[in-house]
Amino acid sequence: MTFDSNQARATYFTVQQRLRRKSATLLSTLETRLPRIMTFWLVLAMSACGVRIATSNIHAAPDLSTVVPYILLVGAPLVSMGLALMWFANGDRLPQPSTRLAVVGRWQKVSFDEASRHPLYGSSGIMVSLLVGMLLNVPVRGLEYLAAMPALSGTVPAWLSTLHVAMTLDVVLLTSLYTVAFVAALKRVPLFPRLLAAIWLIHIAMQLGIATAVASTEGLPGPVADALHTLLDGNVKKVLISVCLWLPYLLLSKRVNITYRHRIERI
């Protein structure tokens, strides 16, 4: 019985160490290949936007109003990432917030030097999954937008114009915010947990705002209203699932607390 217990414990630690090494490798890959990832996004997104314009039923020649939404869709995450990399170049050295909102658990404050020497300090481990998820939000949201919204040109119904503006604002704002949050997490910025929580709230508020703005526009076809309701409802549910999955981790994880809040569990 003792042998089996020791063997199980040894297997557990072996698997845990292997997962930590893999997460550290993935984290290093994300950091070193950010320029390549940004270039890949630029090429992929421009190609997808070109296909969307070419396959849309446009009744007039494409003009500036046709291409501006796609320029914003492609460029906003790139600009946001570039700015965030500048803002958070020394993100781990930024001051801790004066008021602590995460009060769950028993924690002891430590200095930055002590925190940085802790074995759990850093954005690896399960945090890598959150990082990848935030980064994948950009192409996923972009593809959803391209699938839902056709390219427009010339005179269009008021409801379609309102819907197009609202959906464009939604995708541009949220992909930019999730990109900034990704960099903040990567650079171990103390305000990252609060930033992500704020983005979740903005995400939900945007879906409710779109529903209200479009519903108040006259002439909205019933099938479009049903499809929009399904899309927005799905977006809200995805955010709520993310909150349920990640909020407990952001509050209670030893890694999160030592990395972003510079505190360790009080014994």
Side-chain angles (χ1 to χ4, degrees):
M1 185 66 118
T2 303
F3 174 77
D4 291 341
S5 177
N6 291 336
Q7 188 178 37
R9 190 180 296 109
T11 302
Y12 170 77
F13 282 118
T14 300
V15 172
Q16 190 179 46
Q17 289 175 355
R18 188 177 302 167
L19 291 175
R20 284 181 179 177
R21 286 196 297 268
K22 287 185 177 181
S23 67
T25 301
L26 180 56
L27 180 65
S28 176
T29 301
L30 287 174
E31 287 190 282
T32 57
R33 296 188 179 179
L34 273 183
R36 188 177 300 180
I37 293 173
M38 294 168 72
T39 302
F40 178 74
W41 162 253
L42 177 64
V43 175
L44 178 65
M46 287 184 63
S47 301
C49 290
V51 170
R52 189 58 175 128
I53 294 174
T55 56
S56 295
N57 187 18
I58 301 177
H59 300 290
D63 54 16
L64 187 61
S65 63
T66 305
V67 299
V68 164
Y70 300 106
I71 293 174
L72 294 174
L73 173 67
V74 176
L78 296 177
V79 173
S80 298
M81 181 169 287
L83 291 174
L85 288 170
M86 291 172 51
W87 295 335
F88 306 142
N90 298 308
D92 53 351
R93 297 280 183 175
L94 293 175
Q96 290 286 318
S98 56
T99 303
R100 187 65 67 192
L101 299 180
V103 295
V104 181
R106 294 171 56 85
W107 307 97
Q108 176 182 338
K109 184 179 178 180
V110 297
S111 66
F112 168 75
D113 291 335
E114 187 176 352
S116 61
R117 291 194 300 267
H118 195 280
L120 291 179
Y121 181 82
S123 305
S124 57
I126 298 177
M127 269 300 300
V128 174
S129 299
L130 180 55
L131 284 167
V132 172
M134 288 188 294
L135 196 59
L136 286 178
N137 245 308
V138 176
V140 169
R141 296 284 300 174
L143 289 175
E144 287 178 346
Y145 174 81
L146 292 175
M149 298 306 304
L152 300 182
S153 182
T155 304
V156 297
W159 66 265
L160 182 54
S161 177
T162 301
L163 177 60
H164 200 273
V165 170
M167 295 295 287
T168 302
L169 176 62
D170 176 67
V171 70
V172 170
L173 177 62
L174 290 172
T175 54
S176 299
L177 289 176
Y178 278 114
T179 300
V180 172
F182 164 79
V183 177
L186 188 67
K187 297 298 184 179
R188 303 176 295 279
V189 176
L191 288 177
F192 160 70
R194 296 187 185 191
L195 175 61
L196 183 56
I199 293 173
W200 284 333
L201 292 176
I202 293 172
H203 198 153
I204 293 174
M206 286 296 298
Q207 310 315 299
L208 299 178
I210 292 172
T212 302
V214 177
S216 62
T217 306
E218 294 184 2
L220 180 66
V224 174
D226 293 340
L228 180 63
H229 177 270
T230 300
L231 176 63
L232 299 180
D233 183 62
N235 288 340
V236 171
K237 287 179 179 177
K238 284 187 287 187
V239 177
L240 294 178
I241 291 172
S242 295
V243 172
C244 292
L245 286 174
W246 290 110
L247 185 58
Y249 175 76
L250 293 175
L251 291 173
L252 300 174
S253 165
K254 295 178 182 179
R255 180 180 296 279
V256 171
N257 276 281
I258 192 64
T259 302
Y260 299 101
R261 301 187 181 104
H262 298 171
R263 61 186 189 182
I264 60 176
E265 191 173 24
R266 184 180 299 168
I267 300 176

